[in-house]
Amino acid sequence: MRDFIFIIGPSGVGKSTLARGLFDHYQGALAEMNEVPEFGIPAGVDPGLFEEKVCWECCVAQLMKFHELGIRNIISGDFDDLRTADLPIVFKGYDFITLKLMCSDEAQHRRRMVNRGQGLIDLHLLEESAAKINRRPLLINEHAIDTADKSPEDVLREAIALIDHAPALLEYDYVKPPREWFYSWVYSNGLRSPQ
């Protein structure tokens, strides 16, 4: 039993499908950043940065409340990849695992993205984000799952095996990696510069 299970990766690799499968299997809790209720943006702030910050902090608060109430195997994802670097800081001392989904077959990844039929399909952005996320070294308690040529059931089985058997570090030294290692939708398309 884990305290927290995080699922990260670029668009189109099956993160939401895996999250639902893990929730069905473990019956813990499932909370994603995109489920934060609507809220207004105050005047005079950067809308993208403010939205991301509010969504992240509300999601973390919700996850911690689930944990406080005794729920385990709390599954979360759908946050900006840049926040992946914060997981070992915010959740140090907890039994957490991060599953980094990737697809080594670029053609298959493109087909999945085009065929999913929802959301914005920007294939250049997909390639850019996937390349950055895939080449980043693994962080504390993070494990990669390559979804190439695997069914959703295969990915689910591999994830469950990792969750059930991979040891978790609870105490560790961690230096937050440089921002350049991560892809961020907040800073995408050169619309904002990193601070």
Side-chain angles (χ1 to χ4, degrees):
M1 187 172 291
R2 300 280 179 167
D3 292 320
F4 302 99
I5 301 163
F6 299 105
I7 304 170
I8 65 113
S11 295
V13 292
K15 298 186 302 291
S16 295
T17 300
L18 177 59
R20 286 189 302 274
L22 290 174
F23 176 71
D24 290 343
H25 180 78
Y26 290 110
Q27 291 295 302
L30 174 57
E32 296 186 320
M33 266 182 57
N34 66 356
E35 296 169 351
V36 170
E38 293 292 321
F39 54 89
I41 308 282
V45 300
D46 181 302
L49 292 173
F50 183 82
E51 178 184 5
E52 193 279 336
K53 178 180 173 60
V54 169
C55 287
W56 168 252
E57 291 184 9
C58 286
C59 190
V60 168
Q62 185 178 39
L63 298 175
M64 292 303 194
K65 179 52 78 172
F66 281 136
H67 190 273
E68 178 186 318
L69 293 171
I71 298 171
R72 297 299 180 266
N73 291 323
I74 303 164
I75 302 155
S76 186
D78 199 38
F79 40 80
D80 195 3
D81 184 55
L82 197 55
R83 289 296 180 176
T84 305
D86 293 328
L87 295 177
I89 298 169
V90 175
F91 296 93
K92 183 174 183 175
Y94 292 96
D95 185 344
F96 76 91
I97 187 170
T98 303
L99 303 173
K100 177 166 85 168
L101 300 190
M102 53 186 288
C103 184
S104 60
D105 183 336
E106 291 180 23
Q108 179 184 359
H109 192 182
R110 288 172 67 93
R111 283 191 307 276
R112 284 181 186 166
M113 191 68 176
V114 170
N115 293 334
R116 75 184 194 159
Q118 62 184 18
L120 179 65
I121 300 173
D122 183 334
L123 296 178
H124 173 72
L125 201 58
L126 172 70
E127 291 169 2
E128 184 180 296
S129 65
K132 186 168 270 198
I133 292 168
N134 292 354
R135 74 173 167 254
R136 176 182 53 76
L138 295 175
L139 303 177
I140 300 290
N141 295 333
E142 185 176 32
H143 302 269
I145 297 177
D146 190 347
T147 64
D149 299 320
K150 293 177 185 167
S151 69
E153 294 77 21
D154 292 335
V155 174
L156 178 61
R157 278 191 293 273
E158 188 171 343
I160 289 169
L162 284 168
I163 292 164
D164 289 351
H165 302 293
L169 293 174
L170 302 180
E171 293 299 324
Y172 45 79
D173 294 322
Y174 176 72
V175 176
K176 190 172 177 179
R179 180 187 301 257
E180 296 77 35
W181 285 15
F182 301 87
Y183 178 78
S184 172
W185 66 265
V186 176
Y187 299 115
S188 66
N189 296 327
L191 298 176
R192 297 175 181 85
S193 59
Q195 298 176 350

